[in-house]
Amino acid sequence: MSRKIAGPEIERLVQLLSRLPGLGPRSARKAVLSLLKRRNDLLLPLSDALQQAVEKISECPVCGNLDTVAPCSICADPRRDQSLIVVVEEVGDLWALERASIVSARYHVLGGHLSPLDGIGPEQLNVASLLTRAQSPEVKEILLALNATVEGQSTAHYISDQLATIDVTVSRLAQGVPIGGELDYLDDGTLAAAFKARRKL
Amino acid sequence: MSRKIAGPEIERLVQLLSRLPGLGPRSARKAVLSLLKRRNDLLLPLSDALQQAVEKISECPVCGNLDTVAPCSICADPRRDQSLIVVVEEVGDLWALERASIVSARYHVLGGHLSPLDGIGPEQLNVASLLTRAQSPEVKEILLALNATVEGQSTAHYISDQLATIDVTVSRLAQGVPIGGELDYLDDGTLAAAFKARRKL
């Protein structure tokens, strides 16, 4: 690309948008065009919403969720089951569980998974604060809802070791055939897990 | 989705981002998470860049290009060939031609193509201003670089009819086999156009 398109402001917008997941340089250009074409119903509101996000949204000091209030609206909700803490890797996982309305409990966002090669040890994750929360008398169960990946599962092992001395039940999500899943398309690991955890009808 | 994720600020950000081309609700959520996680190197600069775009970028009154100066930097550039005006449908087409460094001329952005069913007639496009520009004595050629679609081509026909009374050469892009194209995979229309416009070696 020998010549720059338009001014540096547009270039910069394209460059920043192309750093979002799911957008490459080509789709970022399309997005910028669409923003500039729909100034009033898209560009202005988005600019405003980002400004609001910058000013208002922060990490919940208790659970690591993102919200405009601290503690977050989930932590502050007295109707939620106070005896269960659902541990997730990322806020996106929390959102997925909330969207599915599966459980009305509180969460704890680790902020990732252990990855020694990338220099991510327990100190880089919100592990210490989880151990403190687990000691609170109302907490009876810690559900480790981590990804069923190697990293997620080794993080789960580490945390369950740390929780061993604390008087709480530690649980994890069931593993097996996903709903709608066809055996022919499942990997060996899932099939093995589903077999090992088979249940009487 | 029975429960809302997080506060209305995050919801609104997801909703606005999902209206960008190439982003659905799922990828918009990922984008918002990534923005909130990378506050300093992504959220703040993007918020700032959008603010700048709102304040500074506007349509060039001469050619319809988007820029921070009016007339735009292309129209104002004296080194560009003043005798040729390249007519395109959208600013994205202008960018594509500029990226490819194909021509150093001035442009005219129509803002779309004729589409009577959608209520888009010549008055909704920047046609009148093109006719005015075409009458300027330094302009010798108008290149209709419109999309090779039915709409693009009927728009090109309409404009070339309008230009018939003005003393300028009206041209269009060549049609044929794209570079790297395999005959077996080309549509009949392209093959027919390539055959009709065949050239002596």
Side-chain angles (χ1 to χ4, degrees):
Chain A
M1 300 198 196
S2 42
R3 257 190 266 169
K4 286 275 177 182
I5 48 163
E9 286 81 5
I10 295 182
E11 281 286 347
R12 179 147 180 73
L13 208 48
V14 170
Q15 191 223 319
L16 285 166
L17 279 177
S18 70
R19 279 154 66 185
L20 290 178
L23 285 179
R26 192 186 189 83
S27 42
R29 277 198 302 269
K30 283 203 171 221
V32 168
L33 276 175
S34 155
L35 280 169
L36 293 173
K37 228 187 154 170
R38 298 163 64 188
R39 190 184 167 88
N40 287 323
D41 74 326
L42 199 51
L43 176 59
L44 287 172
L46 184 61
S47 168
D48 189 56
L50 280 175
Q51 199 63 43
Q52 296 272 320
V54 168
E55 285 165 16
K56 293 192 184 166
I57 298 171
S58 62
E59 236 179 55
C60 171
V62 178
C63 74
N65 185 18
L66 292 164
D67 206 340
T68 47
V69 285
C72 74
S73 46
I74 293 179
C75 281
D77 183 354
R79 290 163 306 178
R80 289 191 176 240
D81 182 354
Q82 306 289 311
S83 70
L84 172 62
I85 293 178
V86 181
V87 181
V88 292
E89 293 183 26
E90 300 283 1
V91 174
D93 303 329
L94 184 161
W95 289 358
L97 290 167
E98 281 294 295
R99 277 199 308 280
S101 299
I102 283 168
V103 59
S104 179
R106 292 179 300 162
Y107 293 89
H108 194 86
V109 182
L110 292 177
H113 49 243
L114 295 176
S115 179
L117 287 179
D118 301 318
I120 299 180
E123 304 77 34
Q124 277 70 47
L125 304 177
N126 297 328
V127 173
S129 54
L130 173 65
L131 300 181
T132 312
R133 289 181 76 189
Q135 287 166 26
S136 164
E138 77 268 20
V139 176
K140 306 291 177 219
E141 181 180 351
I142 307 278
L143 167 56
L144 300 175
L146 306 186
N147 289 335
T149 55
V150 174
E151 296 86 359
Q153 292 309 299
S154 60
T155 308
H157 273 124
Y158 173 83
I159 293 177
S160 87
D161 281 353
Q162 298 294 306
L163 289 167
T165 54
I166 302 172
D167 183 28
V168 284
T169 308
V170 180
S171 54
R172 65 162 175 80
L173 294 174
Q175 294 186 331
V177 181
I179 306 301
E182 297 181 53
L183 296 196
D184 197 11
Y185 291 92
L186 287 176
D187 60 296
D188 297 355
T190 303
L191 284 176
F195 176 79
K196 252 173 71 183
R198 67 192 180 281
R199 295 173 56 173
K200 252 194 170 147
L201 280 179
Chain B
M1 300 198 195
S2 43
R3 255 188 267 168
K4 287 273 176 181
I5 49 164
E9 286 81 4
I10 293 181
E11 281 285 346
R12 178 145 180 74
L13 208 47
V14 170
Q15 191 223 320
L16 285 166
L17 278 177
S18 69
R19 280 156 64 187
L20 290 178
L23 284 178
R26 192 186 189 85
S27 41
R29 280 199 300 272
K30 284 206 166 210
V32 169
L33 276 174
S34 155
L35 279 169
L36 294 171
K37 228 185 156 174
R38 297 163 65 188
R39 191 183 166 87
N40 287 322
D41 73 328
L42 200 52
L43 176 58
L44 287 172
L46 183 61
S47 169
D48 189 54
L50 281 175
Q51 199 64 45
Q52 297 271 321
V54 168
E55 286 165 17
K56 292 193 186 167
I57 297 171
S58 63
E59 240 180 51
C60 171
V62 179
C63 74
N65 185 19
L66 293 163
D67 206 340
T68 48
V69 285
C72 75
S73 46
I74 292 179
C75 282
D77 184 352
R79 288 164 305 176
R80 288 190 177 240
D81 182 355
Q82 306 289 311
S83 71
L84 172 63
I85 294 178
V86 181
V87 180
V88 292
E89 293 185 25
E90 301 282 2
V91 174
D93 304 328
L94 184 161
W95 289 358
L97 290 168
E98 282 294 295
R99 276 200 308 281
S101 298
I102 283 168
V103 58
S104 177
R106 291 178 301 160
Y107 293 89
H108 195 85
V109 182
L110 292 177
H113 49 245
L114 294 176
S115 180
L117 287 177
D118 300 319
I120 299 180
E123 303 76 36
Q124 278 69 48
L125 304 177
N126 297 327
V127 174
S129 55
L130 174 63
L131 300 182
T132 311
R133 289 182 76 191
Q135 287 165 24
S136 164
E138 77 267 22
V139 176
K140 307 291 179 216
E141 182 179 351
I142 307 279
L143 168 56
L144 300 175
L146 306 185
N147 288 336
T149 57
V150 174
E151 297 86 359
Q153 291 309 300
S154 59
T155 308
H157 273 123
Y158 174 82
I159 292 176
S160 86
D161 281 352
Q162 298 294 306
L163 288 168
T165 56
I166 301 171
D167 183 29
V168 283
T169 307
V170 180
S171 55
R172 65 164 176 78
L173 293 174
Q175 295 187 330
V177 182
I179 306 301
E182 297 182 51
L183 295 196
D184 198 12
Y185 290 92
L186 286 176
D187 61 297
D188 297 355
T190 303
L191 284 177
F195 176 77
K196 253 173 69 184
R198 68 192 180 280
R199 294 174 58 172
K200 250 192 170 147
L201 279 177

